């Protein structure tokens, strides 16, 4: 084009067009001599600076200087242009009206045929408002960042592939406390488990979720921790050039993780006190039940014999012992009546509502309830909970009674065997929609031939005179059955006795239900 242009345009026409272009271009243009004395300005220069041609021609460009631009900038400007390079930068200028403005300036040296500088051409525009908007944006960003960083809540932003793209100071504290590499992913995984199908549901994405509590066991040296999680999904328009006309958006999840351990610990303390009272009451009811059921069992044996004798006499049609038969029949009726009366006196185990129960929480409670007893008996508890445990559906009252019974048995067995190593291992795990609980002691153990009988009523491994009624494991199995679970004695455990229990995981919430 440049080679061909002289053929298309005559020199004077070309110069005229170039002059008009420079004149009308919306950027302030000035041409100076080598000392920056102004020789030419275009109309936009007057618009930006306020100076008319007559007022500025012959003046030095320094007339525009506000004098608050650091000297080093001017030194750099001059060094650059004198070495025949183009200089681009920002200067603070002052208009004819005395107003400061930020000039985005480009200065290019103009060279003659020998390559010597003859003039300089300066092009600048007022970028004060752009700078103000950028500064406002940057200030807002800093403000938001400092608010987010000062927040006592850990915050993480995930992209749609669960890559962390933003986090705050509190999240870094959480990383250092967590043994897991990326705690946020750990929480997302736990939440996905809890929400089930609902996690991918657009309704949840619209509404988000608030204060969903996750209990984490054995975190560093700090034991059980509670975190309240909230989630918000949002989308952002992409900034790539091809989405200028046709908007494209990306989805993100803001996850807030608030440590509520202190509040929960306080709550647990209060709860523990209430539970201690409640359990003392339950214990009382249970002992009355067992005493009455035991008495009924003892009465049933001679009564069965009386029944048998009456039947034999009836079959023989024995007329000689008519009086005896009448007497035995009376004893039979009185016995049955006494049994019915006792049956009516057997107190019911109080029912509690069926709800999602976290067995880690429940077992931890029971362990704490037993703490004095463990201490008094020199027993060490090895608490090995699964770090995250899904809830099971059940009655916390009954489950508490179940675990209390198994631990009571374990303490009793270790005392009986005078075990040197006095350890109760209590662990939880999860696998294939089942929550597993293991309670193992270092006591006397249960001989293999008695293992199938221990769940039968009034069976006890203790020598005569022991205080146990033999109803504890019957009740334990009944409670496990009521929860659709399983209880069995671990055949491979040789260090004492080990009970393995399992319960179905609470059905996950579904998008339809
Ligand atoms: P000055 O004493 O003029 O200069 C400050 C420093 O610049 C000195 O310490 C010196 O090292 C260096 N310097 C100045 N003149 C020369 C020179 N001729 N040779 C070598 N070094 C030199 N300034 C603005 O503030 N706003 C503008 O919009 C602007 N536009 C310009 C456009 C063009 C085309 C050119 C060539 C310069 C422009 N300048 C502009 C720079 C201006 O000429 C002044 O250098 C600057 O304003 C500082 O002025 P001063 O009086 O504070 O200091």
């Amino acid at each position: 084009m440049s080679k061909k242009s002289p053929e298309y345009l005559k020199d004077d026409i070309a110069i005229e067009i170039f002059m008009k272009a420079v004149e009308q271009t919306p950027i302030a243009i000035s041409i100076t001599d080598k000392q920056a004395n102004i020789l030419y300005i275009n109309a936009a220069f007057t618009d930006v600076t306020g100076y008319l041609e007559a007022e500025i021609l012959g003046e030095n460009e320094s007339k525009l200087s506000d004098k608050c631009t650091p000297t080093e900038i001017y030194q750099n400007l001059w060094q650059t242009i004198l070495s025949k390079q183009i200089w681009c930068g920002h200067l603070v200028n002052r208009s004819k009206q005395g107003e400061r403005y930020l000039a985005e300036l480009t200065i290019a040296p103009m060279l003659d045929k020998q390559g010597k500088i003859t003039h300089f051409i300066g092009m600048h525009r007022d970028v004060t408002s752009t700078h103000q908007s950028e500064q406002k944006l940057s200030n807002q960003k800093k403000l938001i960042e400092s608010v987010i960083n000062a927040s006592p809540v850990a915050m993480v932003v995930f992209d749609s592939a669960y890559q962390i793209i933003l986090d705050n100071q509190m999240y870094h504290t959480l990383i250092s406390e967590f043994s897991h590499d990326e705690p946020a992913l750990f929480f997302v995984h736990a939440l996905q488990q809890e929400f089930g199908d609902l996690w991918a549901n657009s309704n949840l994405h619209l509404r988000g979720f608030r204060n969903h509590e996750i209990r984490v066991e054995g975190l560093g040296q700090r034991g059980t921790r509670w975190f309240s999680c909230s989630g918000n999904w949002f989308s952002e328009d992409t900034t790539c050039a091809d989405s200028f006309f046709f908007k494209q958006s990306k989805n993100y999840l803001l996850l807030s993780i608030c440590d509520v351990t202190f509040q929960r610990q306080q709550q647990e303390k209060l709860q523990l006190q209430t539970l201690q009272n409640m359990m003392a009451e339950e214990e009382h009811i249970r002992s009355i039940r067992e005493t009455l059921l035991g008495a009924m069992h003892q009465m049933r044996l001679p009564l069965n014999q009386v029944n048998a004798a009456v039947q034999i006499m009836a079959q023989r049609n024995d007329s000689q012992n008519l009086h005896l038969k009448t007497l035995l029949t009376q004893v039979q009726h009185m016995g049955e009546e006494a049994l019915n009366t006792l049956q009516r006196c057997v107190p019911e185990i109080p029912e509690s509502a069926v709800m999602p129960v976290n067995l880690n929480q429940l077992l931890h409670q029971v362990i704490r309830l037993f703490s004095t007893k463990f201490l008094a008996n020199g027993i060490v508890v090895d608490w090995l909970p699964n770090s995250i445990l899904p809830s099971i559906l059940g009655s916390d009252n009954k489950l508490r009674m179940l675990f209390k019974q198994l631990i009571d048995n374990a303490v009793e067995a270790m005392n009986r065997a005078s075990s040197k190593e006095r350890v109760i291992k209590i662990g939880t795990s999860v696998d294939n929609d089942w929550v597993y609980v293991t309670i193992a002691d270092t006591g006397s153990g249960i001989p293999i031939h008695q293992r199938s009988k221990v769940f039968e009523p009034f069976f006890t491994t203790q020598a005569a005179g022991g205080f146990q009624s033999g109803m504890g494991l019957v009740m334990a199995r009944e409670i496990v059955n009521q929860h659709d679970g399983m209880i069995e004695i671990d055949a491979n455990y040789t260090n004492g006795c080990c009970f393995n229990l399992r319960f179905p995981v609470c059905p996950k919430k579904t998008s339809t239900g």
Side-chain angles (χ1 to χ4, degrees):
M1 172 74 184
S2 60
K3 276 192 174 177
K4 282 184 177 174
S5 59
E7 292 169 26
Y8 286 96
L9 299 168
K10 297 272 180 237
D11 276 358
D12 49 345
I13 300 175
I15 289 168
E16 201 187 319
I17 290 173
F18 284 132
M19 279 304 291
K20 274 190 186 159
V22 171
E23 183 60 34
Q24 290 172 22
T25 201
I27 294 175
I29 293 179
S30 58
I31 296 173
T32 70
D33 62 14
K34 288 201 284 182
Q35 276 72 44
N37 297 314
I38 300 171
L39 306 175
Y40 167 82
I41 58 162
N42 70 350
F45 188 96
T46 305
D47 293 341
V48 175
T49 65
Y51 288 110
L52 297 168
E53 249 182 4
E55 296 163 331
I56 199 82
L57 291 186
E59 296 282 350
N60 194 280
E61 292 274 8
S62 67
K63 191 161 186 176
L64 297 177
S65 170
D66 180 61
K67 309 291 177 203
C68 75
T69 304
T71 323
E72 305 83 69
I73 304 276
Y74 295 127
Q75 282 171 350
N76 173 265
L77 178 159
W78 281 104
Q79 250 171 30
T80 309
I81 58 175
L82 288 176
S83 58
K84 301 176 188 175
Q85 311 275 312
I86 295 171
W87 183 88
C88 299
H90 291 89
L91 300 174
V92 180
N93 274 359
R94 193 180 277 268
S95 70
K96 182 186 161 189
Q97 292 76 23
E99 275 172 21
R100 280 191 188 128
Y101 68 92
L102 186 73
E104 188 185 67
L105 174 67
T106 301
I107 304 175
M110 295 168 74
L111 311 176
D112 62 13
K113 282 182 184 165
Q114 284 76 42
K116 282 188 187 157
I117 298 171
T118 56
H119 300 85
F120 292 111
I121 178 163
M123 291 157 278
H124 83 265
R125 55 192 189 105
D126 180 352
V127 291
T128 314
S129 59
T130 316
H131 169 71
Q132 277 171 348
S133 320
E134 278 172 5
Q135 207 51 49
K136 263 188 199 163
L137 208 69
S138 150
N139 289 346
Q140 267 173 7
K141 190 169 167 265
K142 278 183 198 151
L143 182 75
I144 292 170
E145 270 171 8
S146 68
V147 168
I148 288 176
N149 274 334
S151 164
V153 176
M155 292 180 194
V156 179
V157 176
F158 288 103
D159 66 10
S160 49
Y162 290 107
Q163 298 283 328
I164 295 175
I165 55 160
L166 204 80
D167 55 25
N168 71 346
Q169 207 63 47
M170 199 58 199
Y171 181 66
H172 287 260
T173 314
L174 203 62
I175 293 176
S176 61
E177 289 174 358
F178 243 71
S179 46
H180 299 267
D181 293 342
E182 208 57 89
L185 286 175
F186 173 83
F187 282 107
V188 165
H189 184 68
L191 288 162
Q192 280 173 334
Q193 293 250 316
E194 295 264 330
F195 278 104
D197 284 1
L198 218 58
W199 185 259
N201 190 294
S202 56
N203 275 340
L204 185 72
H205 285 218
L206 277 176
R207 284 183 284 113
F209 58 90
R210 295 266 165 286
N211 306 327
H212 201 90
E213 224 162 271
I214 304 278
R215 183 188 163 103
V216 185
E217 302 294 339
L219 201 58
Q221 298 299 310
R222 299 179 59 181
T224 307
R225 304 271 298 273
W226 286 261
F227 295 92
S228 172
C229 297
S230 302
N232 279 86
W233 278 268
F234 64 93
S235 61
E236 195 185 77
D237 291 339
T238 52
T239 50
C240 54
D242 52 344
S243 67
F244 185 80
F245 293 110
F246 305 101
K247 294 261 177 278
Q248 293 169 20
S249 56
K250 278 186 175 175
N251 293 328
Y252 298 93
L253 164 66
L254 167 65
L255 181 67
S256 315
I257 308 159
C258 183
D259 188 346
V260 289
T261 306
F262 179 73
Q263 291 91 314
R264 287 292 156 273
Q265 278 171 345
Q266 297 300 310
Q267 230 173 39
E268 275 214 340
K269 259 188 203 165
L270 288 173
Q271 233 179 17
L272 212 65
Q273 187 59 48
T274 319
L275 274 176
Q276 262 158 353
N277 300 338
M278 221 167 78
M279 284 191 81
E281 174 75 9
E282 279 170 6
E283 187 65 37
H284 183 61
I285 292 174
R286 200 167 70 89
S287 68
I288 295 175
R289 257 179 82 88
E290 285 189 10
T291 311
L292 287 174
L293 289 171
M296 285 166 69
H297 183 71
Q298 296 301 322
M299 278 175 67
R300 178 56 68 192
L301 295 173
L303 203 61
N304 284 349
Q305 283 181 344
V306 171
N307 288 348
V310 171
Q311 268 177 20
I312 291 167
M313 289 174 95
Q315 275 167 9
R316 283 190 190 160
N317 213 356
D318 196 344
S319 53
Q320 282 180 354
N321 294 316
L322 215 57
H323 288 299
L324 181 61
K325 191 184 163 197
T326 313
L327 191 70
L328 285 177
T329 311
Q330 277 175 2
V331 171
Q332 192 186 17
H333 286 310
M334 282 163 67
E336 289 298 340
E337 245 174 59
L339 277 178
N340 287 339
T341 309
L342 286 177
Q343 182 65 59
R344 282 195 295 274
C345 294
V346 175
E348 285 297 318
I349 297 174
E351 286 283 339
S352 69
V354 171
M355 55 173 77
V357 179
N358 184 305
L359 288 187
N360 273 348
Q361 187 169 351
L362 198 95
L363 280 161
H364 190 243
Q365 252 175 16
V366 177
I367 292 170
R368 290 188 66 188
L369 283 167
F370 267 90
S371 56
T372 324
K373 191 167 184 176
F374 290 143
L375 210 66
N377 289 281
I379 290 168
V380 175
V381 179
D382 211 351
W383 171 224
L384 305 163
N386 201 58
S387 58
I388 290 273
L389 205 64
S391 302
I392 69 158
L393 214 54
S395 143
D396 58 350
N397 240 6
K398 287 186 176 174
L399 289 164
R400 211 176 290 114
M401 276 178 79
L402 158 71
F403 295 125
K404 190 179 170 297
Q405 179 63 52
L406 296 179
I407 294 173
D408 260 334
N409 288 355
V411 173
E412 174 62 24
M414 283 189 288
N415 283 346
R416 220 169 38 235
S418 312
S419 314
K420 276 190 188 156
E421 193 197 357
R422 300 163 78 78
V423 181
I424 298 185
K425 272 191 188 165
I426 303 173
T428 58
S429 58
V430 60
D431 187 30
N432 280 336
D433 293 338
W434 288 92
V435 170
Y436 293 84
V437 177
T438 306
I439 300 177
D441 61 54
T442 53
S444 49
I446 300 173
I448 297 173
H449 66 279
Q450 289 184 342
R451 285 182 189 167
S452 57
K453 292 184 183 165
V454 290
F455 294 107
E456 287 174 12
F458 303 108
F459 178 85
T460 170
T461 57
Q462 279 190 60
F467 75 88
Q468 288 190 337
S469 67
M471 285 301 284
L473 286 180
V474 178
M475 175 209 65
R477 190 161 69 173
E478 196 184 316
I479 293 176
V480 173
N481 289 344
Q482 284 166 358
H483 288 81
D484 299 325
M486 296 265 284
I487 180 168
E488 58 192 10
I489 296 169
D490 189 338
N492 301 319
Y493 186 80
T494 52
N495 222 12
C497 184
C498 174
F499 281 94
N500 290 329
L501 299 95
R502 64 173 172 161
F503 301 91
V505 167
C506 181
K508 283 173 187 151
K509 297 165 190 165
T510 58
S511 41
T512 45

